[in-house]
Amino acid sequence: MKKIDAVMKVFKVDNDFFDLFEDLFDEGLTSIYETFVCLEEVKRCAYVLLDPNVFASNLSDNLQDVFEDEEEYNEFVHHILANQPDMNEEMDENDILELCINLADVESERYNIYSKWDDMGVTFKIADTNLIIDLIGELLGQDVSVTLYNYASFQISDDELRQDLKAKLSETA
């Protein structure tokens, strides 16, 4: 997978989470919405591959409507590639691993925040999504749900997570 494709997949996951939150936000459930601000970290995961100087703090503005309009999408991708040509290169194992570790941290936080609400008897559809898990699975070519569950529930350490993801990565190579 090229770096640009991985970055756009991260941005798509971020976009999909925002769409899922829209109902909560519209209904005034801002306390739940704000509790899930950890998901703002999804976008930052792309910086494992994307030079933050390409957009600096204006990234969100540049991403508006990108996934609703093919022309906007292509223009956005061309802009990234013009400013960072190495994004057209294939990802190496280190890039994939670092991106997955960053995504795993966000998923762990999302899982734990959901668990806190669930313990209080509050359930809502946002908590049941597999967006990050599916993306990591796609990057590794493996099912990672058990590994991420074990990591989020503190059954394995950071080092064990890294080793497990690395092993899964080498199985697909």
Side-chain angles (χ1 to χ4, degrees), residues 50-61:
L50 183 64
D51 181 348
N53 295 319
V54 171
F55 291 108
S57 60
N58 297 321
L59 180 58
S60 293
D61 295 338

Side-chain angles (χ1 to χ4, degrees), residues 13 112 140 151:
V13 164
N112 284 299
L140 293 177
Y151 178 63

Side-chain angles (χ1 to χ4, degrees), residues 4-70:
I4 187 66
D5 296 329
V7 162
M8 294 311 292
K9 286 175 186 289
V10 170
F11 289 150
K12 179 72 170 103
V13 164
D14 178 75
N15 185 72
D16 290 347
F17 269 126
F18 185 81
D19 286 348
L20 286 167
F21 268 124
E22 203 166 36
D23 290 345
L24 297 176
F25 196 71
D26 290 346
E27 290 172 25
L29 299 174
T30 52
S31 62
I32 292 176
Y33 183 88
E34 286 167 4
T35 300
F36 277 88
V37 292
C38 66
L39 295 177
E40 291 177 4
E41 297 295 318
V42 177
K43 206 179 278 144
R44 292 196 187 113
C45 292
Y47 286 140
V48 171
L49 302 170
L50 183 64
D51 181 348
N53 295 319
V54 171
F55 291 108
S57 60
N58 297 321
L59 180 58
S60 293
D61 295 338
N62 285 274
L63 277 167
Q64 284 186 342
D65 302 323
V66 163
F67 295 102
E68 285 76 39
D69 183 324
E70 189 177 344

Side-chain angles (χ1 to χ4, degrees), residues 6 41 52 99 123 128:
E41 297 295 318
L99 180 54
T123 56
D128 300 320

